[in-house]
mmCIF file of all heavy atoms in Angstrom:
data_model
loop_
_atom_site.group_PDB
_atom_site.id
_atom_site.type_symbol
_atom_site.label_atom_id
_atom_site.label_comp_id
_atom_site.label_asym_id
_atom_site.label_seq_id
_atom_site.Cartn_x
_atom_site.Cartn_y
_atom_site.Cartn_z
ATOM 1 N N GLY A 1438 -32.012 28.215 -53.302
ATOM 2 C CA GLY A 1438 -31.819 28.976 -52.043
ATOM 3 C C GLY A 1438 -31.126 30.253 -52.261
ATOM 4 O O GLY A 1438 -31.426 31.267 -51.678
ATOM 5 N N ILE A 1439 -30.114 30.279 -53.219
ATOM 6 C CA ILE A 1439 -29.347 31.462 -53.488
ATOM 7 C C ILE A 1439 -30.229 32.461 -54.258
ATOM 8 O O ILE A 1439 -30.224 33.651 -53.980
ATOM 9 C CB ILE A 1439 -28.090 31.137 -54.301
ATOM 10 C CG1 ILE A 1439 -27.131 30.300 -53.419
ATOM 11 C CG2 ILE A 1439 -27.375 32.403 -54.768
ATOM 12 C CD1 ILE A 1439 -25.990 29.666 -54.164
ATOM 13 N N THR A 1440 -30.963 32.019 -55.184
ATOM 14 C CA THR A 1440 -31.745 32.923 -56.061
ATOM 15 C C THR A 1440 -33.067 33.320 -55.440
ATOM 16 O O THR A 1440 -33.761 34.171 -55.960
ATOM 17 C CB THR A 1440 -32.023 32.274 -57.441
ATOM 18 O OG1 THR A 1440 -32.785 31.054 -57.222
ATOM 19 C CG2 THR A 1440 -30.724 31.913 -58.149
ATOM 20 N N GLY A 1441 -33.482 32.626 -54.381
ATOM 21 C CA GLY A 1441 -34.744 32.943 -53.727
ATOM 22 C C GLY A 1441 -35.965 32.320 -54.358
ATOM 23 O O GLY A 1441 -37.062 32.786 -54.117
ATOM 24 N N GLU A 1442 -35.755 31.270 -55.119
ATOM 25 C CA GLU A 1442 -36.888 30.548 -55.731
ATOM 26 C C GLU A 1442 -37.296 29.367 -54.844
ATOM 27 O O GLU A 1442 -36.463 28.621 -54.416
ATOM 28 C CB GLU A 1442 -36.502 30.066 -57.132
ATOM 29 C CG GLU A 1442 -36.139 31.174 -58.093
ATOM 30 C CD GLU A 1442 -35.669 30.603 -59.435
ATOM 31 O OE1 GLU A 1442 -35.747 29.380 -59.604
ATOM 32 O OE2 GLU A 1442 -35.181 31.415 -60.269
ATOM 33 N N ILE A 1443 -38.589 29.260 -54.625
ATOM 34 C CA ILE A 1443 -39.099 28.143 -53.830
ATOM 35 C C ILE A 1443 -40.154 27.449 -54.676
ATOM 36 O O ILE A 1443 -41.226 28.048 -54.969
ATOM 37 C CB ILE A 1443 -39.723 28.569 -52.509
ATOM 38 C CG1 ILE A 1443 -38.692 29.252 -51.645
ATOM 39 C CG2 ILE A 1443 -40.337 27.391 -51.741
ATOM 40 C CD1 ILE A 1443 -39.160 29.814 -50.328
ATOM 41 N N PRO A 1444 -39.922 26.191 -55.074
ATOM 42 C CA PRO A 1444 -40.896 25.503 -55.904
ATOM 43 C C PRO A 1444 -42.220 25.283 -55.177
ATOM 44 O O PRO A 1444 -42.246 25.225 -53.913
ATOM 45 C CB PRO A 1444 -40.242 24.147 -56.209
ATOM 46 C CG PRO A 1444 -38.783 24.369 -55.908
ATOM 47 C CD PRO A 1444 -38.708 25.391 -54.809
ATOM 48 N N LYS A 1445 -43.287 25.138 -55.907
ATOM 49 C CA LYS A 1445 -44.571 24.843 -55.341
ATOM 50 C C LYS A 1445 -44.483 23.557 -54.565
ATOM 51 O O LYS A 1445 -43.767 22.621 -54.874
ATOM 52 C CB LYS A 1445 -45.645 24.722 -56.412
ATOM 53 C CG LYS A 1445 -45.932 25.997 -57.201
ATOM 54 C CD LYS A 1445 -46.656 26.979 -56.363
ATOM 55 C CE LYS A 1445 -48.099 26.567 -56.102
ATOM 56 N NZ LYS A 1445 -48.886 26.548 -57.304
ATOM 57 N N LYS A 1446 -45.230 23.481 -53.463
ATOM 58 C CA LYS A 1446 -45.352 22.322 -52.587
ATOM 59 C C LYS A 1446 -44.112 22.074 -51.789
ATOM 60 O O LYS A 1446 -44.042 21.038 -51.100
ATOM 61 C CB LYS A 1446 -45.744 21.072 -53.400
ATOM 62 C CG LYS A 1446 -47.071 21.167 -54.107
ATOM 63 C CD LYS A 1446 -47.439 19.848 -54.804
ATOM 64 C CE LYS A 1446 -48.806 19.960 -55.472
ATOM 65 N NZ LYS A 1446 -49.164 18.673 -56.148
ATOM 66 N N GLN A 1447 -43.134 22.989 -51.813
ATOM 67 C CA GLN A 1447 -41.934 22.825 -50.962
ATOM 68 C C GLN A 1447 -41.901 23.792 -49.820
ATOM 69 O O GLN A 1447 -40.996 23.745 -48.995
ATOM 70 C CB GLN A 1447 -40.670 22.933 -51.799
ATOM 71 C CG GLN A 1447 -40.423 21.727 -52.706
ATOM 72 C CD GLN A 1447 -39.032 21.703 -53.294
ATOM 73 O OE1 GLN A 1447 -38.145 22.386 -52.799
ATOM 74 N NE2 GLN A 1447 -38.884 20.929 -54.324
ATOM 75 N N LEU A 1448 -42.817 24.739 -49.763
ATOM 76 C CA LEU A 1448 -42.891 25.637 -48.634
ATOM 77 C C LEU A 1448 -43.480 24.894 -47.429
ATOM 78 O O LEU A 1448 -44.427 24.174 -47.543
ATOM 79 C CB LEU A 1448 -43.771 26.855 -48.990
ATOM 80 C CG LEU A 1448 -43.855 27.939 -47.917
ATOM 81 C CD1 LEU A 1448 -42.559 28.663 -47.813
ATOM 82 C CD2 LEU A 1448 -44.959 28.951 -48.258
ATOM 83 N N THR A 1449 -42.870 25.111 -46.239
ATOM 84 C CA THR A 1449 -43.304 24.397 -45.036
ATOM 85 C C THR A 1449 -43.597 25.410 -43.948
ATOM 86 O O THR A 1449 -43.188 26.577 -44.006
ATOM 87 C CB THR A 1449 -42.243 23.406 -44.566
ATOM 88 O OG1 THR A 1449 -41.054 24.167 -44.108
ATOM 89 C CG2 THR A 1449 -41.798 22.443 -45.653
ATOM 90 N N VAL A 1450 -44.342 24.940 -42.928
ATOM 91 C CA VAL A 1450 -44.603 25.763 -41.777
ATOM 92 C C VAL A 1450 -43.303 26.141 -41.062
ATOM 93 O O VAL A 1450 -43.138 27.211 -40.547
ATOM 94 C CB VAL A 1450 -45.538 25.062 -40.798
ATOM 95 C CG1 VAL A 1450 -45.739 25.834 -39.504
ATOM 96 C CG2 VAL A 1450 -46.885 24.798 -41.453
ATOM 97 N N GLU A 1451 -42.294 25.249 -41.104
ATOM 98 C CA GLU A 1451 -40.989 25.551 -40.496
ATOM 99 C C GLU A 1451 -40.341 26.735 -41.195
ATOM 100 O O GLU A 1451 -39.620 27.484 -40.514
ATOM 101 C CB GLU A 1451 -40.106 24.309 -40.584
ATOM 102 C CG GLU A 1451 -40.478 23.148 -39.667
ATOM 103 C CD GLU A 1451 -41.732 22.446 -40.071
ATOM 104 O OE1 GLU A 1451 -42.105 22.512 -41.264
ATOM 105 O OE2 GLU A 1451 -42.398 21.814 -39.193
ATOM 106 N N ASP A 1452 -40.580 26.909 -42.481
ATOM 107 C CA ASP A 1452 -40.032 28.095 -43.141
ATOM 108 C C ASP A 1452 -40.577 29.397 -42.537
ATOM 109 O O ASP A 1452 -39.842 30.342 -42.369
ATOM 110 C CB ASP A 1452 -40.411 28.041 -44.652
ATOM 111 C CG ASP A 1452 -39.611 27.017 -45.433
ATOM 112 O OD1 ASP A 1452 -38.415 26.815 -45.096
ATOM 113 O OD2 ASP A 1452 -40.166 26.364 -46.312
ATOM 114 N N LEU A 1453 -41.864 29.347 -42.189
ATOM 115 C CA LEU A 1453 -42.424 30.584 -41.528
ATOM 116 C C LEU A 1453 -41.802 30.792 -40.183
ATOM 117 O O LEU A 1453 -41.476 31.920 -39.791
ATOM 118 C CB LEU A 1453 -43.941 30.375 -41.415
ATOM 119 C CG LEU A 1453 -44.760 30.327 -42.691
ATOM 120 C CD1 LEU A 1453 -46.229 30.141 -42.336
ATOM 121 C CD2 LEU A 1453 -44.546 31.521 -43.553
ATOM 122 N N CYS A 1454 -41.614 29.710 -39.426
ATOM 123 C CA CYS A 1454 -41.086 29.800 -38.085
ATOM 124 C C CYS A 1454 -39.655 30.315 -38.084
ATOM 125 O O CYS A 1454 -39.198 30.964 -37.116
ATOM 126 C CB CYS A 1454 -41.174 28.463 -37.373
ATOM 127 S SG CYS A 1454 -42.841 27.857 -37.067
ATOM 128 N N ARG A 1455 -38.895 30.035 -39.165
ATOM 129 C CA ARG A 1455 -37.480 30.380 -39.179
ATOM 130 C C ARG A 1455 -37.248 31.849 -39.650
ATOM 131 O O ARG A 1455 -36.120 32.328 -39.654
ATOM 132 C CB ARG A 1455 -36.758 29.475 -40.161
ATOM 133 C CG ARG A 1455 -36.709 28.023 -39.704
ATOM 134 C CD ARG A 1455 -35.920 27.171 -40.674
ATOM 135 N NE ARG A 1455 -34.543 27.555 -40.754
ATOM 136 C CZ ARG A 1455 -33.703 27.266 -41.736
ATOM 137 N NH1 ARG A 1455 -34.174 26.563 -42.762
ATOM 138 N NH2 ARG A 1455 -32.477 27.640 -41.746
ATOM 139 N N MET A 1456 -38.341 32.565 -39.906
ATOM 140 C CA MET A 1456 -38.158 33.917 -40.377
ATOM 141 C C MET A 1456 -37.538 34.847 -39.357
ATOM 142 O O MET A 1456 -37.008 35.894 -39.686
ATOM 143 C CB MET A 1456 -39.490 34.478 -40.819
ATOM 144 C CG MET A 1456 -40.000 33.889 -42.163
ATOM 145 S SD MET A 1456 -41.671 34.410 -42.621
ATOM 146 C CE MET A 1456 -41.454 36.171 -42.751
ATOM 147 N N SER A 1457 -37.623 34.465 -38.061
ATOM 148 C CA SER A 1457 -37.034 35.277 -37.032
ATOM 149 C C SER A 1457 -35.704 34.763 -36.500
ATOM 150 O O SER A 1457 -35.066 35.369 -35.645
ATOM 151 C CB SER A 1457 -37.976 35.433 -35.874
ATOM 152 O OG SER A 1457 -38.203 34.156 -35.219
ATOM 153 N N GLU A 1458 -35.259 33.608 -36.988
ATOM 154 C CA GLU A 1458 -34.006 32.990 -36.489
ATOM 155 C C GLU A 1458 -32.810 33.703 -37.100
ATOM 156 O O GLU A 1458 -32.821 34.157 -38.257
ATOM 157 C CB GLU A 1458 -33.932 31.522 -36.892
ATOM 158 C CG GLU A 1458 -35.007 30.671 -36.192
ATOM 159 C CD GLU A 1458 -34.884 29.209 -36.592
ATOM 160 O OE1 GLU A 1458 -33.963 28.866 -37.357
ATOM 161 O OE2 GLU A 1458 -35.735 28.402 -36.151
ATOM 162 N N PRO A 1459 -31.695 33.801 -36.335
ATOM 163 C CA PRO A 1459 -30.493 34.330 -36.965
ATOM 164 C C PRO A 1459 -29.911 33.320 -37.963
ATOM 165 O O PRO A 1459 -29.626 32.180 -37.629
ATOM 166 C CB PRO A 1459 -29.530 34.496 -35.744
ATOM 167 C CG PRO A 1459 -30.056 33.541 -34.705
ATOM 168 C CD PRO A 1459 -31.559 33.484 -34.934
ATOM 169 N N ILE A 1460 -29.812 33.767 -39.191
ATOM 170 C CA ILE A 1460 -29.361 32.900 -40.280
ATOM 171 C C ILE A 1460 -27.949 33.327 -40.723
ATOM 172 O O ILE A 1460 -27.774 34.503 -41.090
ATOM 173 C CB ILE A 1460 -30.310 32.903 -41.478
ATOM 174 C CG1 ILE A 1460 -31.743 32.480 -40.987
ATOM 175 C CG2 ILE A 1460 -29.851 31.989 -42.580
ATOM 176 C CD1 ILE A 1460 -31.811 31.077 -40.491
ATOM 177 N N LYS A 1461 -26.995 32.388 -40.762
ATOM 178 C CA LYS A 1461 -25.632 32.776 -41.157
ATOM 179 C C LYS A 1461 -25.265 32.268 -42.519
ATOM 180 O O LYS A 1461 -24.479 32.921 -43.225
ATOM 181 C CB LYS A 1461 -24.643 32.153 -40.096
ATOM 182 C CG LYS A 1461 -24.852 32.755 -38.702
ATOM 183 C CD LYS A 1461 -23.857 32.122 -37.747
ATOM 184 C CE LYS A 1461 -24.027 32.688 -36.336
ATOM 185 N NZ LYS A 1461 -23.085 32.086 -35.349
ATOM 186 N N ARG A 1462 -25.824 31.139 -42.944
ATOM 187 C CA ARG A 1462 -25.475 30.573 -44.236
ATOM 188 C C ARG A 1462 -26.304 31.253 -45.310
ATOM 189 O O ARG A 1462 -27.502 31.442 -45.194
ATOM 190 C CB ARG A 1462 -25.696 29.059 -44.261
ATOM 191 C CG ARG A 1462 -24.838 28.344 -43.257
ATOM 192 C CD ARG A 1462 -25.165 26.886 -43.180
ATOM 193 N NE ARG A 1462 -24.866 26.180 -44.403
ATOM 194 C CZ ARG A 1462 -25.697 25.558 -45.148
ATOM 195 N NH1 ARG A 1462 -27.007 25.561 -44.831
ATOM 196 N NH2 ARG A 1462 -25.318 24.923 -46.272
ATOM 197 N N LEU A 1463 -25.638 31.630 -46.419
ATOM 198 C CA LEU A 1463 -26.284 32.401 -47.449
ATOM 199 C C LEU A 1463 -27.461 31.595 -48.070
ATOM 200 O O LEU A 1463 -28.497 32.202 -48.405
ATOM 201 C CB LEU A 1463 -25.279 32.768 -48.553
ATOM 202 C CG LEU A 1463 -25.795 33.595 -49.726
ATOM 203 C CD1 LEU A 1463 -26.371 34.899 -49.233
ATOM 204 C CD2 LEU A 1463 -24.721 33.840 -50.753
ATOM 205 N N VAL A 1464 -27.300 30.314 -48.276
ATOM 206 C CA VAL A 1464 -28.350 29.510 -48.849
ATOM 207 C C VAL A 1464 -29.595 29.575 -47.975
ATOM 208 O O VAL A 1464 -30.729 29.740 -48.457
ATOM 209 C CB VAL A 1464 -27.901 28.041 -49.055
ATOM 210 C CG1 VAL A 1464 -29.074 27.190 -49.465
ATOM 211 C CG2 VAL A 1464 -26.817 27.992 -50.117
ATOM 212 N N GLU A 1465 -29.432 29.410 -46.665
ATOM 213 C CA GLU A 1465 -30.575 29.453 -45.737
ATOM 214 C C GLU A 1465 -31.168 30.836 -45.734
ATOM 215 O O GLU A 1465 -32.373 31.006 -45.708
ATOM 216 C CB GLU A 1465 -30.087 29.014 -44.335
ATOM 217 C CG GLU A 1465 -29.689 27.575 -44.263
ATOM 218 C CD GLU A 1465 -29.185 27.172 -42.909
ATOM 219 O OE1 GLU A 1465 -29.010 28.106 -42.055
ATOM 220 O OE2 GLU A 1465 -28.937 25.972 -42.643
ATOM 221 N N ALA A 1466 -30.297 31.861 -45.678
ATOM 222 C CA ALA A 1466 -30.807 33.236 -45.625
ATOM 223 C C ALA A 1466 -31.550 33.540 -46.892
ATOM 224 O O ALA A 1466 -32.593 34.253 -46.833
ATOM 225 C CB ALA A 1466 -29.618 34.220 -45.449
ATOM 226 N N GLY A 1467 -31.111 33.054 -48.025
ATOM 227 C CA GLY A 1467 -31.820 33.290 -49.274
ATOM 228 C C GLY A 1467 -33.185 32.724 -49.237
ATOM 229 O O GLY A 1467 -34.170 33.311 -49.731
ATOM 230 N N ARG A 1468 -33.376 31.516 -48.640
ATOM 231 C CA ARG A 1468 -34.705 30.943 -48.561
ATOM 232 C C ARG A 1468 -35.619 31.715 -47.604
ATOM 233 O O ARG A 1468 -36.807 31.902 -47.913
ATOM 234 C CB ARG A 1468 -34.577 29.460 -48.045
ATOM 235 C CG ARG A 1468 -35.902 28.732 -48.079
ATOM 236 C CD ARG A 1468 -35.746 27.278 -47.682
ATOM 237 N NE ARG A 1468 -37.023 26.574 -47.711
ATOM 238 C CZ ARG A 1468 -37.516 25.949 -48.742
ATOM 239 N NH1 ARG A 1468 -36.851 25.964 -49.882
ATOM 240 N NH2 ARG A 1468 -38.642 25.317 -48.705
ATOM 241 N N VAL A 1469 -35.065 32.203 -46.510
ATOM 242 C CA VAL A 1469 -35.852 33.005 -45.570
ATOM 243 C C VAL A 1469 -36.349 34.262 -46.232
ATOM 244 O O VAL A 1469 -37.538 34.669 -46.107
ATOM 245 C CB VAL A 1469 -35.065 33.326 -44.316
ATOM 246 C CG1 VAL A 1469 -35.783 34.346 -43.477
ATOM 247 C CG2 VAL A 1469 -34.797 32.069 -43.495
ATOM 248 N N VAL A 1470 -35.468 34.926 -47.011
ATOM 249 C CA VAL A 1470 -35.863 36.137 -47.706
ATOM 250 C C VAL A 1470 -36.923 35.829 -48.750
ATOM 251 O O VAL A 1470 -37.922 36.582 -48.903
ATOM 252 C CB VAL A 1470 -34.636 36.759 -48.392
ATOM 253 C CG1 VAL A 1470 -35.068 37.902 -49.334
ATOM 254 C CG2 VAL A 1470 -33.663 37.325 -47.336
ATOM 255 N N ALA A 1471 -36.800 34.687 -49.428
ATOM 256 C CA ALA A 1471 -37.776 34.284 -50.437
ATOM 257 C C ALA A 1471 -39.109 34.037 -49.775
ATOM 258 O O ALA A 1471 -40.169 34.457 -50.344
ATOM 259 C CB ALA A 1471 -37.323 33.057 -51.135
ATOM 260 N N VAL A 1472 -39.173 33.385 -48.620
ATOM 261 C CA VAL A 1472 -40.390 33.157 -47.901
ATOM 262 C C VAL A 1472 -41.054 34.451 -47.514
ATOM 263 O O VAL A 1472 -42.259 34.682 -47.693
ATOM 264 C CB VAL A 1472 -40.179 32.255 -46.661
ATOM 265 C CG1 VAL A 1472 -41.450 32.154 -45.837
ATOM 266 C CG2 VAL A 1472 -39.717 30.878 -47.075
ATOM 267 N N LYS A 1473 -40.249 35.390 -47.011
ATOM 268 C CA LYS A 1473 -40.789 36.695 -46.632
ATOM 269 C C LYS A 1473 -41.406 37.402 -47.822
ATOM 270 O O LYS A 1473 -42.504 37.990 -47.706
ATOM 271 C CB LYS A 1473 -39.687 37.538 -45.993
ATOM 272 C CG LYS A 1473 -40.122 38.901 -45.525
ATOM 273 C CD LYS A 1473 -38.997 39.693 -44.883
ATOM 274 C CE LYS A 1473 -39.459 41.033 -44.428
ATOM 275 N NZ LYS A 1473 -38.360 41.860 -43.814
ATOM 276 N N ARG A 1474 -40.762 37.328 -48.951
ATOM 277 C CA ARG A 1474 -41.294 37.959 -50.142
ATOM 278 C C ARG A 1474 -42.614 37.353 -50.571
ATOM 279 O O ARG A 1474 -43.540 38.034 -51.017
ATOM 280 C CB ARG A 1474 -40.274 37.904 -51.283
ATOM 281 C CG ARG A 1474 -39.079 38.808 -51.076
ATOM 282 C CD ARG A 1474 -38.036 38.569 -52.171
ATOM 283 N NE ARG A 1474 -36.911 39.512 -52.000
ATOM 284 C CZ ARG A 1474 -35.782 39.388 -52.667
ATOM 285 N NH1 ARG A 1474 -35.619 38.413 -53.560
ATOM 286 N NH2 ARG A 1474 -34.786 40.277 -52.490
ATOM 287 N N LEU A 1475 -42.707 36.014 -50.460
ATOM 288 C CA LEU A 1475 -43.960 35.315 -50.799
ATOM 289 C C LEU A 1475 -45.076 35.805 -49.901
ATOM 290 O O LEU A 1475 -46.218 36.071 -50.356
ATOM 291 C CB LEU A 1475 -43.788 33.850 -50.685
ATOM 292 C CG LEU A 1475 -42.957 33.121 -51.775
ATOM 293 C CD1 LEU A 1475 -42.743 31.655 -51.401
ATOM 294 C CD2 LEU A 1475 -43.632 33.229 -53.114
ATOM 295 N N VAL A 1476 -44.827 35.889 -48.602
ATOM 296 C CA VAL A 1476 -45.847 36.339 -47.641
ATOM 297 C C VAL A 1476 -46.283 37.766 -47.935
ATOM 298 O O VAL A 1476 -47.458 38.072 -47.986
ATOM 299 C CB VAL A 1476 -45.336 36.190 -46.232
ATOM 300 C CG1 VAL A 1476 -46.394 36.785 -45.227
ATOM 301 C CG2 VAL A 1476 -45.122 34.713 -45.849
ATOM 302 N N GLU A 1477 -45.287 38.628 -48.155
ATOM 303 C CA GLU A 1477 -45.586 40.035 -48.418
ATOM 304 C C GLU A 1477 -46.408 40.209 -49.729
ATOM 305 O O GLU A 1477 -47.161 41.134 -49.847
ATOM 306 C CB GLU A 1477 -44.285 40.859 -48.511
ATOM 307 C CG GLU A 1477 -43.608 40.991 -47.140
ATOM 308 C CD GLU A 1477 -42.280 41.670 -47.272
ATOM 309 O OE1 GLU A 1477 -41.661 41.652 -48.366
ATOM 310 O OE2 GLU A 1477 -41.822 42.278 -46.243
#
């Protein structure tokens, strides 16, 4: 979560939905940033 790495088969639809949520915890924010980078 901190480094922005998401293993294969662990990405979920919920990860996409959370891209617009306010994220306060660094671990969660790191995952959201990683998902955004994957999509881009």
Side-chain angles (χ1 to χ4, degrees):
I1439 294 169
T1440 61
E1442 299 176 6
I1443 299 179
K1445 294 288 290 294
K1446 298 184 179 180
Q1447 287 193 18
L1448 184 70
T1449 67
V1450 174
E1451 287 71 23
D1452 286 323
L1453 296 180
C1454 295
R1455 295 182 63 198
M1456 287 173 62
S1457 65
E1458 294 179 3
I1460 302 297
K1461 297 180 181 179
R1462 299 173 68 241
L1463 181 60
V1464 171
E1465 295 176 351
R1468 186 176 180 89
V1469 170
V1470 170
V1472 173
K1473 182 178 179 181
R1474 288 174 178 169
L1475 286 173
V1476 174
E1477 290 175 336

